[in-house]
Amino acid sequence: MSKHQLDYLDELEAEAIYILREVAGQFEKPALLFSGGKDSITLVRLAEKAFRPGKFPFPLVHIDTGHNFIETIEYRDKMINRIGEKLIIGHVQDSIDEGKVVEQKGKNASRNALQTVTLLDTIAKHGFDACIGGARRDEEKARAKERIFSVRDEFGQWDPKRQRPELWNIFNGKIHKGENVRVFPISNWTELDVWNYIRREKIELPSIYFAHEREVITRNGQLMAASPFLNMDAEDIIEKRNVRFRTVGDMTCTAAVESYAYRIDDIIDEISESKISERGARMDDKVSEAAMEDRKKGGYF
């Protein structure tokens, strides 16, 4: 008898589904953090494979900065209608109005860092003990050293020295009251893996992932979408360029890349030749050498 051999995408998929089911089995009130980006969209497809024909054993949670790409919000609402799952939205504007955070000032002001407070408040309000995210180890060095089950203390903080061993895919979800766990089912995937999976599964994505003409400005050497959320002045010259976005976040910190990749096959070819990580287009990661790790220690995704 011939032995069936799984290809690498099947193996990655099986691991991710196993992790999602472990979350459902080990935690009382998990949630799936949804940004509208390709990684969280991939998680939704994996959750469908893990739990259909039943309902998801967790709601989707979106932390809305109010400065999102309209294409992302339209995609989110369309997807929720299609899958029929519960969506919880935490609004950064509410945190600002309540005086819990102060909106940044200046030319490079962004709401991205403010999301942490809104996220922690949303976790506390709904009593979530596990939050599933789409972070991957290949994205950034702080994410590279974080475990798949990442324990956060009662303040939502991450301590890199307090990580648990994960031998033989055995995940320990035991936590004390007030603590929670961030879970990363596609931690072992690369950007190229995600795109190959999207192609195989024929997953629909927001249009901004594909090349299109857009008005942009050049700021700090990066192409930023011209937007009323950017504090533009006379030095910012608006021009039309053919661009796409490799990563999706707050409009004030997510840069575009010049591209003519209109199809998934074109994007895969483009990524294969790229020498820069997709996080290289995120202005929030350039604040300091340890920007991501510092945000994680404060409770960030």
Side-chain angles (χ1 to χ4, degrees):
M1 293 177 64
S2 63
K3 186 176 180 180
H4 175 64
Q5 296 290 328
L6 298 178
D7 74 11
Y8 83 102
L9 284 178
D10 290 330
E11 292 177 1
L12 290 172
E13 179 188 75
E15 179 188 55
I17 289 173
Y18 166 71
I19 293 167
L20 287 170
R21 289 172 175 166
E22 280 292 297
V23 172
Q26 291 195 40
F27 297 96
E28 294 182 4
K29 292 196 70 176
L32 191 156
L33 302 178
F34 184 80
S35 67
K38 68 184 184 309
D39 299 311
S40 58
I41 292 169
T42 296
L43 284 178
V44 171
R45 172 56 58 88
L46 291 165
E48 288 180 306
K49 291 199 170 190
F51 304 112
R52 290 295 189 239
K55 299 284 285 183
F56 292 178
F58 41 68
L60 277 64
V61 174
H62 181 214
I63 304 302
D64 187 352
T65 66
H67 291 174
N68 295 291
F69 290 92
I70 185 63
E71 295 93 335
T72 306
I73 299 301
E74 289 175 350
Y75 178 92
R76 178 199 70 188
D77 295 342
K78 179 181 176 183
M79 187 203 71
I80 290 297
N81 286 333
R82 175 180 66 80
I83 66 175
E85 297 293 340
K86 182 179 180 181
L87 173 67
I88 295 171
I89 303 175
H91 297 278
V92 171
Q93 186 62 52
D94 291 343
S95 299
I96 295 171
D97 294 342
E98 293 165 5
K100 294 180 178 180
V101 294
V102 177
E103 192 147 20
Q104 296 178 358
K105 306 295 182 183
K107 189 167 183 174
N108 295 313
S110 172
R111 288 186 173 184
N112 192 64
L114 308 185
Q115 294 181 88
T116 298
V117 171
T118 310
L119 172 63
L120 295 178
D121 284 349
T122 303
I123 290 172
K125 177 181 178 180
H126 296 277
F128 296 133
D129 54 0
C131 291
I132 304 162
R136 307 187 322 271
R137 290 191 174 116
D138 75 316
E139 292 181 278
E140 199 274 339
K141 54 184 176 295
R143 289 180 166 175
K145 66 183 182 183
E146 190 168 14
R147 299 286 194 265
I148 291 175
F149 271 35
S150 179
V151 179
R152 304 298 177 97
D153 65 18
E154 61 270 27
F155 302 106
Q157 298 172 327
W158 176 55
D159 182 355
K161 297 180 179 179
R162 189 175 163 247
Q163 300 193 84
R164 297 171 176 176
E166 294 179 341
L167 306 176
W168 306 294
N169 283 337
I170 297 175
F171 302 108
N172 180 3
K174 291 185 178 179
I175 54 175
H176 297 292
K177 186 175 178 59
E179 295 178 333
N180 67 82
V181 175
R182 307 292 167 83
V183 181
F184 306 112
I186 61 171
S187 185
N188 291 329
W189 298 39
T190 66
E191 182 185 12
L192 202 54
D193 294 335
V194 172
W195 277 104
N196 279 321
Y197 189 75
I198 288 168
R199 177 172 62 181
R200 190 185 82 171
E201 297 293 314
K202 297 179 173 58
I203 299 173
E204 183 182 352
L205 293 176
S207 60
I208 57 175
Y209 275 111
F210 301 90
H212 59 283
E213 189 177 68
R214 181 181 288 263
E215 290 187 342
V216 298
I217 63 171
T218 301
R219 180 173 291 182
N220 302 320
Q222 301 273 14
L223 295 175
M224 305 293 294
S227 160
F229 304 134
L230 291 179
N231 294 328
M232 295 188 289
D233 56 29
E235 294 180 356
D236 295 314
I237 300 173
I238 298 177
E239 55 184 330
K240 285 190 175 181
R241 302 278 282 274
N242 228 64
V243 300
R244 74 176 192 87
F245 294 86
R246 287 178 69 184
T247 178
V248 173
D250 191 300
M251 290 189 75
T252 59
C253 68
T254 305
V257 295
E258 196 153 17
S259 174
Y260 291 89
Y262 297 100
R263 302 176 302 117
I264 287 184
D265 288 348
D266 300 330
I267 291 173
I268 289 173
D269 290 341
E270 186 180 86
I271 294 170
S272 299
E273 297 173 3
S274 177
K275 301 292 191 295
I276 301 172
S277 162
E278 64 193 290
R279 297 293 302 191
R282 291 296 290 266
M283 303 299 289
D284 47 331
D285 288 351
K286 300 179 185 297
V287 175
S288 71
E289 187 68 21
M292 174 63 80
E293 184 162 332
D294 290 341
R295 293 203 303 278
K296 278 184 171 290
K297 287 179 179 178
Y300 187 72
F301 301 109

Coordinates of all heavy atoms in Angstrom, one line a residue, residues 81-138:
N81 N -20.9 38.8 7.5 CA -22.3 38.4 7.0 C -22.2 37.1 6.4 O -23.2 36.3 6.5 CB -22.7 39.5 6.0 CG -23.2 40.8 6.6 OD1 -23.6 40.8 7.8 ND2 -23.1 41.9 5.9
R82 N -21.1 36.8 5.7 CA -21.0 35.5 5.0 C -20.8 34.3 6.0 O -21.5 33.3 5.9 CB -19.7 35.5 4.1 CG -19.5 34.1 3.4 CD -18.3 34.2 2.5 NE -17.0 34.4 3.3 CZ -16.4 33.4 3.9 NH1 -16.8 32.2 3.9 NH2 -15.2 33.7 4.5
I83 N -20.0 34.5 7.0 CA -19.7 33.3 7.9 C -20.7 33.2 9.1 O -20.8 32.2 9.7 CB -18.3 33.4 8.5 CG1 -18.1 34.6 9.4 CG2 -17.3 33.4 7.4 CD1 -16.7 34.6 10.1
G84 N -21.5 34.3 9.4 CA -22.5 34.3 10.4 C -22.0 34.1 11.8 O -22.6 33.6 12.7
E85 N -20.8 34.7 12.1 CA -20.2 34.6 13.4 C -20.3 35.9 14.2 O -20.5 37.0 13.6 CB -18.7 34.1 13.4 CG -18.5 32.7 12.8 CD -19.1 31.6 13.6 OE1 -19.3 31.8 14.8 OE2 -19.3 30.5 13.1
K86 N -20.1 35.9 15.5 CA -20.2 37.1 16.3 C -19.0 37.9 16.2 O -17.9 37.4 16.2 CB -20.5 36.7 17.8 CG -20.6 37.9 18.7 CD -20.9 37.4 20.1 CE -21.0 38.7 21.1 NZ -21.2 38.2 22.5
L87 N -19.2 39.2 16.0 CA -18.1 40.2 16.0 C -18.2 41.2 17.1 O -19.2 41.8 17.2 CB -18.0 40.9 14.6 CG -17.0 42.0 14.5 CD1 -15.6 41.5 14.5 CD2 -17.3 42.9 13.2
I88 N -17.1 41.3 17.9 CA -17.0 42.3 18.9 C -16.0 43.4 18.5 O -14.9 43.1 18.1 CB -16.6 41.7 20.2 CG1 -17.7 40.7 20.7 CG2 -16.3 42.8 21.3 CD1 -17.2 39.9 21.9
I89 N -16.4 44.7 18.5 CA -15.5 45.8 18.1 C -15.2 46.6 19.3 O -16.1 47.1 20.0 CB -16.2 46.6 17.0 CG1 -16.6 45.7 15.8 CG2 -15.2 47.7 16.5 CD1 -17.3 46.5 14.7
G90 N -13.9 46.8 19.5 CA -13.4 47.7 20.5 C -12.9 49.0 19.8 O -12.1 48.9 18.9
H91 N -13.4 50.2 20.2 CA -13.1 51.4 19.5 C -12.0 52.2 20.3 O -12.3 52.6 21.4 CB -14.4 52.2 19.3 CG -15.4 51.6 18.5 ND1 -15.3 51.6 17.1 CD2 -16.5 50.9 18.8 CE1 -16.4 51.0 16.6 NE2 -17.1 50.5 17.6
V92 N -11.0 52.5 19.6 CA -9.9 53.4 20.2 C -10.5 54.7 20.5 O -10.1 55.4 21.5 CB -8.7 53.5 19.3 CG1 -7.7 54.5 19.8 CG2 -8.0 52.1 19.1
Q93 N -11.4 55.2 19.7 CA -12.0 56.5 20.0 C -12.7 56.6 21.3 O -12.7 57.6 22.0 CB -13.1 56.9 18.9 CG -13.6 58.3 19.0 CD -12.6 59.4 18.8 OE1 -11.8 59.4 17.9 NE2 -12.5 60.3 19.8
D94 N -13.3 55.4 21.7 CA -13.9 55.4 23.1 C -12.9 55.5 24.2 O -13.1 56.2 25.2 CB -14.7 54.0 23.3 CG -15.9 53.9 22.4 OD1 -16.4 55.0 21.9 OD2 -16.4 52.8 22.2
S95 N -11.7 54.9 24.0 CA -10.6 55.0 25.0 C -10.2 56.5 25.1 O -9.8 57.0 26.1 CB -9.5 54.1 24.6 OG -9.9 52.8 24.6
I96 N -10.1 57.2 23.9 CA -9.7 58.6 23.9 C -10.8 59.4 24.6 O -10.4 60.3 25.5 CB -9.5 59.1 22.4 CG1 -8.4 58.3 21.8 CG2 -9.3 60.6 22.4 CD1 -8.2 58.6 20.3
D97 N -12.0 59.2 24.3 CA -13.1 60.0 24.9 C -13.2 59.8 26.4 O -13.6 60.7 27.1 CB -14.5 59.6 24.2 CG -14.5 60.0 22.8 OD1 -13.7 60.8 22.3 OD2 -15.4 59.4 22.0
E98 N -12.9 58.6 26.9 CA -12.9 58.3 28.3 C -11.7 58.8 29.0 O -11.6 58.6 30.3 CB -13.1 56.8 28.5 CG -14.5 56.3 28.0 CD -14.5 54.8 27.9 OE1 -13.5 54.1 28.3 OE2 -15.5 54.2 27.4
G99 N -10.7 59.3 28.3 CA -9.5 59.8 28.9 C -8.5 58.8 29.3 O -7.6 59.1 30.1
K100 N -8.6 57.6 28.8 CA -7.7 56.5 29.1 C -6.4 56.6 28.3 O -5.4 56.1 28.7 CB -8.4 55.1 28.9 CG -9.6 54.9 29.8 CD -10.2 53.5 29.6 CE -11.3 53.3 30.6 NZ -11.9 51.9 30.3
V101 N -6.5 57.2 27.2 CA -5.3 57.4 26.3 C -5.4 58.8 25.8 O -6.4 59.4 25.7 CB -5.2 56.4 25.1 CG1 -5.0 55.0 25.7 CG2 -6.5 56.5 24.3
V102 N -4.2 59.3 25.4 CA -4.1 60.7 24.8 C -3.7 60.5 23.4 O -2.6 59.9 23.1 CB -3.1 61.6 25.6 CG1 -3.0 62.9 25.0 CG2 -3.6 61.7 27.1
E103 N -4.4 61.2 22.5 CA -4.1 61.1 21.1 C -2.7 61.8 20.8 O -2.5 62.9 21.3 CB -5.2 61.7 20.2 CG -5.0 61.4 18.7 CD -6.4 61.3 18.0 OE1 -7.4 61.7 18.6 OE2 -6.4 60.6 17.0
Q104 N -1.9 61.2 20.0 CA -0.6 61.7 19.7 C -0.7 63.0 18.8 O -1.7 63.1 18.1 CB 0.3 60.7 19.0 CG 0.6 59.5 19.8 CD 1.5 58.5 19.0 OE1 1.7 58.7 17.8 NE2 1.8 57.4 19.6
K105 N 0.2 63.9 19.0 CA 0.3 65.1 18.2 C 1.5 65.0 17.3 O 2.4 64.2 17.4 CB 0.4 66.3 19.1 CG -0.7 66.4 20.1 CD -2.1 66.6 19.5 CE -3.2 66.7 20.6 NZ -4.6 66.8 20.0
G106 N 1.6 66.0 16.3 CA 2.7 66.0 15.5 C 2.5 65.4 14.1 O 1.5 64.7 13.9
K107 N 3.5 65.5 13.3 CA 3.4 65.1 11.9 C 3.3 63.5 11.8 O 2.6 63.0 10.9 CB 4.7 65.5 11.1 CG 4.6 65.3 9.6 CD 5.6 66.1 8.9 CE 5.5 65.9 7.4 NZ 6.4 66.7 6.6
N108 N 4.0 62.8 12.7 CA 3.9 61.3 12.6 C 3.0 60.7 13.6 O 3.2 59.5 14.0 CB 5.4 60.8 12.7 CG 6.3 61.2 11.6 OD1 5.9 61.1 10.4 ND2 7.5 61.7 11.9
A109 N 2.0 61.4 14.0 CA 1.1 60.9 15.0 C 0.3 59.7 14.5 O 0.0 59.6 13.3 CB 0.1 62.0 15.4
S110 N 0.1 58.7 15.4 CA -0.6 57.5 15.0 C -1.4 57.0 16.2 O -1.0 57.2 17.3 CB 0.4 56.5 14.5 OG -0.3 55.2 14.3
R111 N -2.5 56.3 15.9 CA -3.3 55.7 16.9 C -2.9 54.3 17.2 O -3.5 53.6 18.0 CB -4.8 55.8 16.6 CG -5.4 57.1 16.7 CD -6.9 57.0 16.4 NE -7.6 58.3 16.7 CZ -8.9 58.5 16.6 NH1 -9.7 57.5 16.3 NH2 -9.4 59.7 16.9
N112 N -1.9 53.8 16.4 CA -1.6 52.3 16.5 C -1.2 51.9 17.9 O -1.7 50.9 18.4 CB -0.5 52.0 15.6 CG -0.3 50.5 15.4 OD1 -1.1 49.8 14.9 ND2 0.9 50.0 15.8
A113 N -0.4 52.7 18.6 CA 0.0 52.3 19.9 C -1.1 52.4 21.0 O -1.1 51.7 22.0 CB 1.2 53.2 20.4
L114 N -2.1 53.2 20.6 CA -3.2 53.3 21.6 C -4.1 52.1 21.6 O -4.9 51.9 22.5 CB -4.1 54.6 21.2 CG -3.3 55.9 21.0 CD1 -4.3 57.0 20.7 CD2 -2.5 56.2 22.2
Q115 N -4.0 51.2 20.6 CA -4.8 50.0 20.5 C -4.7 49.1 21.8 O -5.6 48.4 22.1 CB -4.5 49.2 19.3 CG -4.8 49.8 18.0 CD -4.4 48.9 16.9 OE1 -5.2 48.1 16.4 NE2 -3.2 49.0 16.4
T116 N -3.5 49.2 22.4 CA -3.2 48.3 23.5 C -4.2 48.5 24.6 O -4.7 47.5 25.2 CB -1.8 48.5 24.0 OG1 -0.8 48.2 23.0 CG2 -1.5 47.6 25.2
V117 N -4.5 49.7 25.0 CA -5.4 50.0 26.1 C -6.8 49.5 25.7 O -7.5 48.9 26.5 CB -5.4 51.5 26.4 CG1 -6.5 51.8 27.4 CG2 -4.1 51.9 27.0
T118 N -7.2 49.8 24.5 CA -8.5 49.3 24.0 C -8.6 47.8 24.0 O -9.7 47.3 24.4 CB -8.8 49.9 22.6 OG1 -8.5 51.3 22.6 CG2 -10.3 49.6 22.2
L119 N -7.6 47.2 23.6 CA -7.6 45.7 23.6 C -7.7 45.1 25.0 O -8.5 44.3 25.3 CB -6.3 45.2 23.0 CG -6.0 43.7 23.1 CD1 -7.1 42.9 22.3 CD2 -4.6 43.3 22.5
L120 N -6.9 45.7 25.9 CA -6.9 45.2 27.3 C -8.3 45.4 28.0 O -8.8 44.6 28.7 CB -5.8 45.8 28.1 CG -4.3 45.5 27.7 CD1 -3.3 46.2 28.5 CD2 -4.1 44.0 27.8
D121 N -8.9 46.6 27.7 CA -10.2 46.9 28.2 C -11.2 45.9 27.6 O -12.1 45.4 28.3 CB -10.6 48.3 27.9 CG -9.9 49.3 28.7 OD1 -9.3 48.9 29.7 OD2 -10.0 50.5 28.4
T122 N -11.1 45.6 26.3 CA -12.0 44.6 25.7 C -11.9 43.2 26.3 O -12.9 42.5 26.5 CB -11.8 44.6 24.2 OG1 -11.9 45.9 23.6 CG2 -12.8 43.7 23.5
I123 N -10.6 42.8 26.5 CA -10.4 41.5 27.1 C -11.0 41.5 28.5 O -11.7 40.5 28.9 CB -8.9 41.2 27.2 CG1 -8.3 41.0 25.8 CG2 -8.6 40.0 28.1 CD1 -6.8 40.9 25.8
A124 N -10.8 42.5 29.3 CA -11.3 42.6 30.7 C -12.9 42.6 30.7 O -13.5 41.9 31.5 CB -10.8 43.8 31.4
K125 N -13.4 43.4 29.8 CA -14.9 43.6 29.8 C -15.6 42.2 29.5 O -16.6 41.9 30.1 CB -15.3 44.6 28.7 CG -16.8 44.8 28.5 CD -17.1 45.8 27.4 CE -18.6 46.0 27.2 NZ -18.9 47.0 26.1
H126 N -15.0 41.4 28.6 CA -15.7 40.2 28.1 C -15.1 39.0 28.8 O -15.6 37.9 28.6 CB -15.6 40.0 26.6 CG -16.3 41.1 25.9 ND1 -17.6 41.0 25.6 CD2 -15.9 42.3 25.3 CE1 -18.0 42.1 24.9 NE2 -16.9 42.9 24.7
G127 N -14.1 39.2 29.6 CA -13.5 38.1 30.4 C -12.8 37.0 29.6 O -12.7 35.8 29.9
F128 N -12.2 37.4 28.5 CA -11.4 36.5 27.6 C -10.2 36.0 28.3 O -9.4 36.7 28.9 CB -11.0 37.2 26.3 CG -12.2 37.6 25.4 CD1 -12.2 38.9 24.9 CD2 -13.2 36.8 25.2 CE1 -13.3 39.3 24.1 CE2 -14.3 37.2 24.4 CZ -14.3 38.4 23.8
D129 N -10.0 34.7 28.3 CA -8.8 34.1 28.9 C -7.8 33.6 27.8 O -6.7 33.2 28.2 CB -9.2 32.9 29.8 CG -10.0 31.9 29.2 OD1 -10.4 32.0 28.0 OD2 -10.4 30.9 29.8
A130 N -8.2 33.7 26.5 CA -7.2 33.4 25.5 C -7.6 34.2 24.2 O -8.8 34.3 23.9 CB -7.2 31.9 25.1
C131 N -6.6 34.8 23.6 CA -6.8 35.6 22.4 C -6.0 35.0 21.3 O -4.7 35.0 21.4 CB -6.5 37.1 22.6 SG -7.7 37.9 23.8
I132 N -6.6 34.6 20.2 CA -5.9 34.0 19.1 C -5.5 35.1 18.1 O -6.3 35.9 17.7 CB -6.8 33.0 18.4 CG1 -7.3 31.9 19.3 CG2 -6.1 32.3 17.2 CD1 -8.5 31.2 18.9
G133 N -4.2 35.1 17.7 CA -3.7 36.1 16.8 C -3.0 35.5 15.6 O -2.6 34.3 15.6
G134 N -2.8 36.3 14.6 CA -2.1 35.8 13.4 C -0.6 36.1 13.3 O -0.1 36.1 12.2
A135 N 0.0 36.4 14.4 CA 1.4 36.8 14.3 C 2.3 35.5 13.9 O 1.9 34.4 14.2 CB 1.9 37.2 15.7
R136 N 3.4 35.8 13.2 CA 4.2 34.8 12.7 C 5.7 35.1 13.1 O 6.1 36.2 13.2 CB 4.1 34.6 11.2 CG 2.7 34.5 10.6 CD 2.8 34.2 9.1 NE 3.9 35.0 8.5 CZ 3.7 36.2 8.0 NH1 2.5 36.8 8.0 NH2 4.7 36.8 7.4
R137 N 6.5 34.0 13.3 CA 7.8 34.2 13.7 C 8.7 34.9 12.7 O 9.7 35.5 13.1 CB 8.4 32.9 14.1 CG 7.9 32.3 15.4 CD 8.6 31.1 15.9 NE 8.1 30.7 17.2 CZ 7.6 29.5 17.4 NH1 7.5 28.6 16.4 NH2 7.2 29.1 18.6
D138 N 8.4 34.8 11.4 CA 9.3 35.3 10.4 C 9.1 36.8 10.2 O 9.9 37.5 9.6 CB 9.0 34.6 9.0 CG 7.7 35.1 8.4 OD1 6.7 35.2 9.1 OD2 7.8 35.4 7.2

